[in-house]
Amino acid sequence: DPVDGRPGQFLKPYDFDLERESLQKNYGADHISEKDLLSYALYPSVFQEWKEYESVYGTVEVLPTHLFLNPMKVGDEVEVELSPGRSRVIKLVAIQDADESGSRTVLFEVNGEQNYMTVTDQSVATAGVAREKAGAPGTVGSPMPGVVVDVKVKAGDKIQEGDTVATLSAMKMETSVPSTSSGVVKRVVVNVGDKVEGDDLLVEIE
């Protein structure tokens, strides 16, 4: 049927002040602009997915568009301007072979200083393979479904019961996951950016 009048007049009133307060409570007042508020009003699900992505990968808008869309190759070097007069030169040095879980260690230089990071290569990780579950003594599991936004420990670290081993982003909040026992970290089976379900194994301690 044809619409008689302006389509917008049939929409329910939208309380921008209430939604702004809710967004600021969930994401922090410093991280919500008027543009963010409008984006959430128009595309709430897309906005929430973006904030989850941002919590994992940080402020990606500083990346040149071609770098965001096309991964660097070994040997590539790029200068990224973080703010006026403040930049970093990043060079991709090497990418190690993936292990059985799909994890790769990426070696790179930032202003000539060598760094490394372990990531999960989704093109290698076998689809449909269930993650190990926690429950046995010395295992630390995810308390809820979410995305791993930080890993605080590595194999060989000595930790105490209650120490934070990882941070999850779930239900628009970040949750610290504590160690269930004291000992030495035997293995870490997740990387930043991994999606996990409740009770999925994160860390094993011996």
Side-chain angles (χ1 to χ4, degrees):
D1 295 334
V3 176
D4 185 15
R6 185 174 62 85
Q9 70 182 333
F10 301 107
L11 296 175
K12 295 180 180 179
Y14 192 86
D15 193 331
F16 282 92
D17 291 332
L18 180 64
E19 294 302 334
R20 181 188 295 106
E21 182 179 345
S22 175
L23 290 173
Q24 290 177 343
K25 180 179 179 181
N26 289 329
Y27 302 112
D30 295 337
H31 300 286
I32 297 298
S33 65
E34 291 302 298
K35 185 184 292 185
D36 291 327
L37 177 61
L38 184 58
S39 297
Y40 179 74
L42 294 172
Y43 309 105
S45 296
V46 174
F47 180 82
Q48 290 172 349
E49 289 175 2
W50 166 251
K51 296 303 286 186
E52 182 177 277
Y53 180 92
E54 193 177 51
S55 72
V56 175
Y57 299 105
T59 311
V60 295
E61 58 260 31
V62 300
L63 297 176
T65 302
H66 75 276
L67 185 61
F68 179 79
L69 296 176
N70 301 295
M72 295 175 67
K73 296 181 174 63
V74 173
D76 284 355
E77 187 173 281
V78 64
E79 183 174 3
V80 177
E81 186 176 12
L82 303 180
S83 60
R86 181 167 167 259
S87 62
R88 297 288 185 272
V89 177
I90 302 171
K91 179 178 181 179
L92 180 57
V93 177
I95 302 175
Q96 296 183 355
D97 292 337
D99 62 18
E100 64 278 0
S101 68
S103 293
R104 293 181 184 271
T105 298
V106 179
L107 307 176
F108 58 98
E109 293 178 355
V110 179
N111 286 352
E113 184 176 340
Q114 195 168 83
N115 294 266
Y116 70 91
M117 178 180 293
T118 303
V119 298
T120 299
D121 187 338
Q122 300 296 342
S123 68
V124 174
T126 305
V129 174
R131 288 186 176 273
E132 293 182 62
K133 293 293 183 180
T139 58
V140 181
S142 172
M144 65 188 76
V147 178
V148 179
V149 296
D150 196 9
V151 178
K152 301 289 189 181
V153 298
K154 62 183 183 300
D157 284 353
K158 294 181 179 180
I159 59 175
Q160 300 295 317
E161 182 177 353
D163 288 350
T164 298
V165 298
T167 305
L168 300 181
S169 175
M171 298 183 292
K172 297 182 288 186
M173 296 184 296
E174 290 192 358
T175 301
S176 296
V177 182
S179 170
T180 54
S181 60
S182 300
V184 177
V185 176
K186 181 178 180 181
R187 59 187 180 125
V188 179
V189 299
V190 292
N191 300 308
V192 171
D194 285 0
K195 292 184 177 181
V196 294
E197 299 295 329
D199 294 326
D200 279 358
L201 180 64
L202 305 178
V203 175
E204 185 177 0
I205 303 163
E206 57 182 0

